[in-house]
Amino acid sequence: MRKVLNKVLAGIMSATLVASLAIGMNFTQEVKADETPVELPMWSFEQGGDYTLNGGQYEGGNGNMGLITSVTLPGETLSGWHGMGSQESINEAKTATQQANQFSINIQQTGWDCQWGQNPTRINPWSIQAHLNKIPVIPGHIYKVSFKAHSSTAKWAYVAFGTDMEGTPAPYGEGNVPEGDNAIIQITPADKDFSYTFTNWVSADTINMDLMLGAFGADYDYDGTLISSYIDGYSQQSSWSGTVDVKDFQVMDLGLDPEFVEQPTPPPVPTVKPTVKPTVKPTVKPTVTPKTKKFAKVKKLRVKNNKKRTIKITWKKVAKAKKYTVKVGKKTYTAKKPKLTVKKLKKGKKYTVKVRAKAANGYKAGPWAKKKIKIKK
């Protein structure tokens, strides 16, 4: 089964999440820009799942009942959620009336976990969700989304970003993983910090952020990475209940990404034709600014650990590219040839290796290619 979670979410989440950010999740550490807070929209919360109508009453389909008791925000409480047995649809959403950078959601239950015995595997459709829609952003700017969270008992969750722009890949698609925490997170009774940094390469006007708190179970995450690499033994959380608290939520504008090339605005077309035609034709044609192209994605990326604490990285040359940006964990390197050797790594540690063609000669940097490796030698 390949990218199961991606397929399931595509069928159950809003179009905003499915047509999600291809916002090139790379962050240039040398950028030193003043952080400007972005004004947050209103939070909305959603409960739902698989339900069956029986004799005029709604029952949980296979026990998949995602139910909320209440959501508390500064100055207001969202209550009155429909529970099991209601003749109203239990799939419902409520939106706050005031802006807030924190909330506490009281979950009655999340429903069942992944049904591993079936073919194809059935996955809980993330029946408990917190949405922050239409966050205003500027083309080419770097953004950092951060928050603190804790829960009454340990809870696995999933973070996704999206935009209303059509034709963009799903969250974390095309090898674009944001700096900071993984899309899969574990919220614990102790406060933990989470952050995501990315560049608005697609020139979106707004982005969306979704925190999904349904029962967790799948083979692969949105980026195609095995969930077992994050969740040891696929920890089961069927019918999880309790509270999840989020605070200090903020979106910071870190300024323009130096690698972003904005297309020039064409001059306005005159509405009135000149009354006098020129008697002499111009001998020099006006210059036309060429369109900015983007390098192709790196192919045939290979990472090998053949020597002690050392990896050898190779990939296929990208046409017209002279240099490449290589990231190993949190360190960034520049390579002139399609190969690189990195030494002094930690034995037993897992590293994420990412490679892309570097912006140059009128071309924008290409999308990241990515591999994960564990240092065994």
Side-chain angles (χ1 to χ4, degrees), residues 140-265:
H141 277 222
I142 303 170
Y143 290 91
K144 181 179 181 180
V145 178
S146 62
F147 60 92
K148 296 179 183 292
H150 69 269
S151 54
S152 53
T153 58
K155 180 77 191 79
W156 290 103
Y158 199 91
V159 179
F161 295 95
T163 177
D164 293 327
M165 295 183 67
E166 295 183 0
T168 53
Y172 313 113
E174 299 299 320
N176 293 322
V177 179
E179 299 287 347
D181 294 288
N182 294 313
I184 300 170
I185 63 174
Q186 186 182 44
I187 304 174
T188 64
D191 259 339
K192 291 177 69 175
D193 294 296
F194 302 96
S195 65
Y196 303 85
T197 306
F198 48 77
T199 295
N200 181 12
W201 292 118
V202 297
S203 299
D205 294 324
T206 62
I207 60 172
N208 310 316
M209 184 271 190
D210 296 76
L211 177 62
M212 297 179 281
L213 299 163
F216 197 93
D219 273 340
Y220 294 86
D221 70 3
Y222 243 129
D223 192 42
T225 302
L226 273 172
I227 289 176
S228 59
S229 65
Y230 303 135
I231 306 176
D232 184 24
Y234 297 96
S235 300
Q236 299 295 296
Q237 294 188 323
S238 285
S239 299
W240 188 92
S241 62
T243 57
V244 174
D245 292 85
V246 172
K247 63 182 180 180
D248 297 338
F249 188 96
Q250 62 179 357
V251 181
M252 304 299 292
D253 185 336
L254 306 185
L256 184 67
D257 191 310
E259 294 186 6
F260 181 78
V261 179
E262 190 172 7
Q263 295 295 326
T265 303

Side-chain angles (χ1 to χ4, degrees), residues 241-315:
S241 62
T243 57
V244 174
D245 292 85
V246 172
K247 63 182 180 180
D248 297 338
F249 188 96
Q250 62 179 357
V251 181
M252 304 299 292
D253 185 336
L254 306 185
L256 184 67
D257 191 310
E259 294 186 6
F260 181 78
V261 179
E262 190 172 7
Q263 295 295 326
T265 303
V269 179
T271 55
V272 180
K273 295 182 179 180
T275 55
V276 180
K277 294 183 179 179
T279 57
V280 180
K281 293 183 179 180
T283 57
V284 180
K285 293 183 179 180
T287 57
V288 178
T289 302
K291 293 183 179 179
T292 302
K293 298 180 180 179
K294 188 175 183 179
F295 280 122
K297 183 179 178 180
V298 167
K299 295 182 179 180
K300 296 185 178 180
L301 175 61
R302 293 183 175 88
V303 184
K304 295 183 179 180
N305 175 212
N306 294 329
K307 295 183 180 181
K308 184 177 180 182
R309 297 172 59 199
T310 300
I311 58 174
K312 183 178 180 181
I313 310 166
T314 60
W315 60 92

